[in-house]
Amino acid sequence: MKRSYSAFAENIPPYSGPKAARDSYAHLKQLSAIPGHIYTRSELQILPGQRRFSKVPWMVPMLELLPPSSIGHLKEWGLSNVFVLAKNYNKLVHVWESVTAMAELWHPQTNSFVFPEFEATILLEELEIMLGLPRYQRGEEPTISYTVEQINSWSILAYITIKKNDLYSMTSGMHVHLLPIAQWITSQCKRKTTNYTAIAKAAAICICGIILFPESDGAISFGNLSIIDSISEGMKIGQVVLGFLYAGLTSAALGGPFYGSVIALEL
């Protein structure tokens, strides 16, 4: 049936550019009142920090070597969609002009995008569906763990390897480097070892680090390493992924680098 669009026709004034929008809508003017907000920087063309989302040449060769049993663990942990996104990551094209435009509309205090007539945000349910993550059931009290000591990255990575040379190459400062972990996976797969769970845990660190928690160039923080490690224990991480994206948008909106799941934002 041919659909008529006349019912949707409204008296919408023609769009006359961002400057006119800034001057015309009181909703958008509130962004100008936030100190340091990039909304007031008309000269800004692109967000700082975008180079951390460049192509990852080691990703696909490493994933193609994964044994079926390790891939089965990733699926069991709810990372099927993340695995597919990682395998196709180098084919994805991020439209940074659009990401910059969205960051310009981000309100750091309300965690929402301020449009001329309304506000909107990214919901947890939406993010879980789009990324295929295990869904948090409202009404169920999640298990909360409190950490009083500094996160020991070596104790987490010890499930993968106990060789000190490997651990030294995988960590520095407060970050874990993904390339040495990918190289360890490649070595294990080529030797046809049967450490399927360890390989899956290492692969989860790599794909989640690139797709869900991109922060530094080829590295993730100790805190995010701990979050990724909890996936294999049945923990739901959608809230953390969303909070990390919110924080990255706030950083970008206030003139800092953008970080977080740009794939989720574009979806």
Side-chain angles (χ1 to χ4, degrees):
M1 181 178 68
K2 187 175 182 180
R3 180 176 294 177
S4 172
Y5 292 94
S6 59
F8 301 100
E10 299 178 9
N11 294 324
I12 301 176
Y15 179 68
S16 54
K19 185 178 185 304
R22 285 176 169 82
D23 295 338
S24 302
Y25 294 103
H27 278 76
L28 295 181
K29 287 183 180 179
Q30 64 176 294
L31 297 174
S32 302
I34 300 173
H37 200 287
I38 62 173
Y39 184 81
T40 61
R41 296 169 55 188
S42 58
E43 78 285 355
L44 182 68
Q45 298 296 322
I46 209 73
L47 288 179
Q50 72 172 70
R51 61 187 290 265
R52 69 191 57 187
F53 297 93
S54 57
K55 305 300 181 184
V56 185
W58 50 261
M59 177 73 79
V60 174
M62 178 269 290
L63 294 179
E64 289 179 342
L65 291 174
L66 291 182
S69 296
S70 296
I71 295 175
H73 284 308
L74 294 175
K75 292 180 178 179
E76 177 188 340
W77 301 334
L79 295 176
S80 295
N81 283 21
V82 177
F83 177 75
V84 172
L85 287 168
K87 285 197 72 172
N88 292 277
Y89 184 76
N90 289 340
K91 300 177 184 177
L92 301 177
V93 177
H94 301 306
V95 184
W96 285 103
E97 292 80 1
S98 299
V99 175
T100 303
M102 293 299 291
E104 285 183 338
L105 300 177
W106 182 254
H107 198 302
Q109 295 167 337
T110 61
N111 287 335
S112 62
F113 299 101
V114 180
F115 293 96
E117 300 290 345
F118 62 93
E119 293 187 33
T121 193
I122 306 168
L123 301 178
L124 173 61
E125 295 83 354
E126 294 174 325
L127 179 131
E128 289 173 335
I129 291 172
M130 289 185 294
L131 296 178
L133 298 175
R135 300 185 64 180
Y136 167 70
Q137 302 296 324
R138 295 194 179 280
E140 294 181 359
E141 290 296 328
T143 302
I144 301 176
S145 60
Y146 295 92
T147 302
V148 295
E149 296 181 359
Q150 185 177 6
I151 296 172
N152 187 342
S153 63
W154 279 28
S155 66
I156 296 174
L157 294 174
Y159 195 91
I160 300 173
T161 179
I162 58 174
K163 295 181 178 179
K164 284 191 175 182
N165 287 340
D166 289 340
L167 293 172
Y168 277 121
S169 68
M170 292 177 181
T171 60
S172 67
M174 296 297 292
H175 287 83
V176 175
H177 299 285
L178 301 181
L179 177 57
I181 296 177
Q183 291 171 335
W184 179 87
I185 295 172
T186 300
S187 172
Q188 294 291 305
C189 293
K190 287 184 175 180
R191 289 165 48 198
K192 299 187 182 301
T193 64
T194 57
N195 301 327
Y196 300 131
T197 303
I199 291 172
K201 279 177 170 282
I205 293 171
C206 290
I207 64 176
C208 291
I210 295 296
I211 303 299
L212 305 181
F213 298 106
E215 182 178 2
S216 300
D217 293 331
I220 58 173
S221 67
F222 286 175
N224 287 335
L225 172 68
S226 178
I227 295 298
I228 296 170
D229 182 63
S230 71
I231 296 174
S232 61
E233 301 173 4
M235 298 292 286
K236 298 176 175 63
I237 65 168
Q239 291 171 313
V240 184
V241 176
L242 184 59
F244 192 65
L245 176 57
Y246 280 179
L249 282 166
T250 296
S251 172
L254 297 179
F258 173 77
Y259 55 86
S261 180
V262 66
I263 292 177
L265 177 60
E266 291 179 317
L267 288 173

